[in-house]
Amino acid sequence: MDFNSSSGGGGDLHNNQHQLQTDESKPLLGEVSAPGPPDGSRMGAGLCRRALLHCNGMRYKLLQEGDIQVCVIRHPRTFLSKVLSSKYLRRWEAHHLTLTDKSLASATPIGYMENAISYSAIEDVQLLSWENAPKYCLQLTIPGGTVLLQAANSYLRDQWFHSLQWKKKIYKYKKVLSNPSRWEVVLKEIRTLVDMALSSPLQDDSIHQAPLEIVSKLLSENTNLSTLEHENIIEAIAPLLENNHPPPDLCEFFCKHCRERPRSMVVIEVFTPVVQRILKHNMDFGKCPRLRLFTQEYILALNELNGGMEVVKKFIQSMHGPTGQCPHPRVLPNLVAVCLAAIYSCYEEFINSRDNSPSLKEIRNGCQQQCERKPNLPLRLMRTSPALGSQEVTSPVETRIKIVNSSEIHVDLERNNVANQKLKGPVGGSESEPSLIDCLLVSPACSTMSIELSPQADRVLVCYVEILKMLSDYDDWRPALASLLQPIPFPKEALAHEKFTKELKYVIQRFAEDPRQEVHSCLLSVRAGKDGWFQLYSPGGVACDDDGELFASMVRVCNNVHILMGSCYKTKKFLLSLAENKLGPCMLLALRGSQTMVEILCLMLEYNIIENNDTQLQIISTLESTEVGKRMYEQLCDRQRELKELQRKGGPTRLTLPSKSTDADLARLLSSGSFGNLENLSLAFTNVTSACAEQLIKLPSLKQLNLWSTQFGDAGLRLLSEHLTSLQVLNLCETPVTDAGLHALSSMKSLCSLNMNSTKLSADTYEDLKAKLPNLKEVDVRYTEAW
């Protein structure tokens, strides 16, 4: 049965046509409830009365599909057809109807619903209540007849009614606004569309999104609008944006407005709540990159106001809130994502200029040969060779590059990937990736290409680096910010830019001064073989622009609280890395009176980090050249004498401390005599902590250590694993150690008995320890995850 063609006749048809004229003469977005038919009108042979639609505050979900009873009545032409269409001879069909964007269709296109009913063919939608036999019905007036829909209850009937009304209106709006003629009329229709969405009893995300998508499509197809028309449209749809993200095309329109009219009041009054909502609720800019771009352009527009960065600062403060803890966990990650993307865009031209140079992955795999490359461009990953080093480099972005004859930033592939020297074919994937320092190695013997940004890119860079500075000033945001920046998410071109690294230095300084380990530990590399901020800003690093003041700040003691130094610099691994790469700067800073560097040099001597005698003598001379160094070196000598006395052969082979003994009691006991023969030490059920590890590592013959039911933790365990490599038996039963400390035991190859009963050992760590400790024979993992 075709419902999309006009047919019918008789007086009832005349009434239907009159009703159609009445409906079409109404405003496109009139009241949701349709008016009743002319007095005396009948539908077939059955009397009916209109059910009034009261605004009872009910809310409905927009229907997309559902089961409902369907009956179709043709407009009667003759007396016989009136009899056949009487209510006693009508039949109802059960259908599963779907409300598509264009029509009402059945999942089983047979009977009454053999053909879909287009929304354009539906002249009216009304609620009906039958006399003497109440049923929950809807009347759909179509050319040549009427479609009745019967729901199971009044709520479902009203839900179908509002959903059909909404679909019908949206379908008409899409057609009306697809071919605009006069923009003043279009603006009026947009405002009416927004009012309809706001007053609709339907409660669904698509109710507000559908008008936004209609306007978005309208704007994308009509780009030659005046500024006034821009602002009028933005103000008209502003109420819908309070609780909804703008669609991608609308974001593009907003970005254009921010760029062209940054001082417009629309930016402050309309865009501010929209951007605030994006920053508070957006979960992934990767899925909606235009939201990020809109946020980026909005912040740049704020920066163009008279207040400049002060306005931006107030905006950041409003996002954080007045309390010490920001109540919105997504604000910081979203702000950082916007900053990183904006900073990347500043160097995009330089990044694109090295598209033909090997990527880090290609360098690692050796998958491309140098001869297949185009001529090298500035700031690319290039192989240094005499032939290439003597060539003059040219670039299409030459006007943006300033040549300075002092030093050149280039990539040194030789130091990290010897296998790529010949570049003849693929190499195994186990090759290590070149570090950032290698990729940005400063060679004073060469001439430098320093980056010079365009004025616009420079303004963007300054704005977003300032925002990173602002973010680092908030105590509650600093741990998460440090974690987000730990993998160094900036391109090599940014790290080669002196202005950028100089401005970012403030953020790194804030991380270094923070006493929380989760903050300052992020200055180290995220994994072995990768460079972190500590390497970049240390003397000799590509970002270091001082004589090591920031480097000293990253490892010094602040307010008697061990920060970076307290968490890692007393480990042999860290001291070894300093001795290999930063010994010269350390001695220079110690020579200038840095107490931190003096302590580091003393620890290198104490832990026998330096094996070369001449280097040891040079360190000693450096220490004795300052008062603080001389004093600390004398204290070191005194400790060494006490250590020799402690380690002198003799004394007991077994020792058990009384219960409730403390770290101080253990230190006092060990300082009272010689314990060079001590092999078995029991500290079970005492009050010792990880601090006593400083005393335990002085016992050269120790083979068995019992720490049962003590407060000995991960920090002490890590220290023991570096010094007591000959330990054979270790009891950690009922101690607070976790996987973080137990992992360190893998270096104690002599262990043959290990008790981890009632600890926080995981199954993965247990398997790792079994694989790395070949002599391990007795293990107790009861009451752990690995049990």
Side-chain angles (χ1 to χ4, degrees), residues 309-368:
M309 288 307 299
E310 283 300 318
V311 181
V312 177
K313 184 175 182 180
K314 290 180 180 178
F315 173 74
I316 299 297
Q317 289 173 346
S318 71
M319 295 307 306
H320 180 274
T323 61
Q325 191 76 23
C326 178
H328 305 286
R330 292 300 310 166
V331 169
L332 178 67
N334 286 333
L335 279 173
V336 173
V338 171
C339 291
L340 296 181
I343 292 172
Y344 182 91
S345 68
C346 296
Y347 301 94
E348 196 164 7
E349 185 174 349
F350 301 105
I351 295 170
N352 292 337
S353 72
R354 58 175 169 86
D355 280 345
N356 289 314
S357 62
S359 65
L360 293 180
K361 184 177 180 180
E362 290 172 343
I363 292 171
R364 183 177 64 245
N365 296 332
C367 61
Q368 296 192 23

Side-chain angles (χ1 to χ4, degrees), residues 247-252 255 285 288-295:
D249 290 338
L250 203 56
C251 287
E252 195 71 33
C255 290
F285 277 131
C288 41
R290 292 189 186 180
L291 285 179
R292 176 195 53 74
L293 186 61
F294 167 48
T295 306

